[in-house]
């Protein structure tokens, strides 16, 4: 299978999203301000998975084009990944590159609005959408 094939990109995105989802379930109900080191490491692994998931959405022209015909789950995957990144940025502002995260989420909001998925884009904070 070609490295840049659409199917491969979709599967890679789903893998990163699965990692994100599993960690989110494992951290459910945790006190974010009193996290032990192991849980903190899991949270940062989930942040990496969310960022990788969004990178696939944003950098693949084939994937971007296919999003016009994507099912609900694919669009929610992207939106949830972006919202998780924003949550991590608000919890750990000193430890993360806020500019990179905000830029990535802004690109996602723009992409979702381009592919006629405006109903997903407003789940991002209004200040992101107003900066266009």
């Amino acid at each position: 299978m070609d490295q840049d094939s659409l199917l491969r990109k979709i599967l890679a995105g789903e893998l990163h999203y699965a990692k994100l989802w599993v960690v989110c379930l494992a951290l459910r109900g945790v006190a974010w301000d009193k996290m032990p080191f192991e849980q903190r490491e899991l949270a940062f692994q989930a942040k990496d998975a969310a960022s990788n998931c969004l990178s696939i959405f944003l950098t693949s022209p084939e994937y971007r084009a296919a999003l016009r015909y994507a099912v609900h789950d694919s669009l929610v995957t992207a939106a949830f990944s972006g919202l998780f990144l924003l949550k991590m940025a608000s919890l750990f502002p000193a430890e993360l590159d806020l500019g990179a995260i905000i830029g990535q989420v802004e690109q996602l909001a723009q992409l979702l609005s381009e592919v006629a998925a405006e109903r997903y884009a407003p789940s991002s904070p209004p200040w992101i959408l107003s900066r266009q």
Side-chain angles (χ1 to χ4, degrees), residues 21-65:
W21 187 252
V22 167
V23 172
C24 284
L25 288 178
L27 295 176
R28 191 178 209 172
V30 72
W32 290 89
D33 56 338
K34 300 175 187 173
M35 280 182 137
F37 178 77
E38 294 81 16
Q39 289 179 336
R40 190 178 178 87
E41 285 299 308
L42 275 177
F44 278 87
Q45 287 177 16
K47 189 269 311 169
D48 292 339
S51 183
N52 291 336
C53 185
L54 286 188
S55 290
I56 291 170
F57 276 95
L58 298 172
T59 60
S60 171
E62 297 85 11
Y63 206 141
R64 291 174 71 104

Side-chain angles (χ1 to χ4, degrees), residues 77-119:
T77 295
F80 182 80
S81 297
L83 287 173
F84 183 82
L85 286 175
L86 291 175
K87 175 73 172 179
M88 287 292 292
S90 71
L91 292 171
F92 305 105
E95 300 171 49
L96 298 174
D97 183 358
L98 299 179
I101 289 173
I102 290 170
Q104 201 172 25
V105 174
E106 283 179 331
Q107 289 178 18
L108 172 65
Q110 179 63 37
L111 174 62
L112 291 178
S113 68
E114 287 172 8
V115 298
E118 294 89 3
R119 64 187 180 271

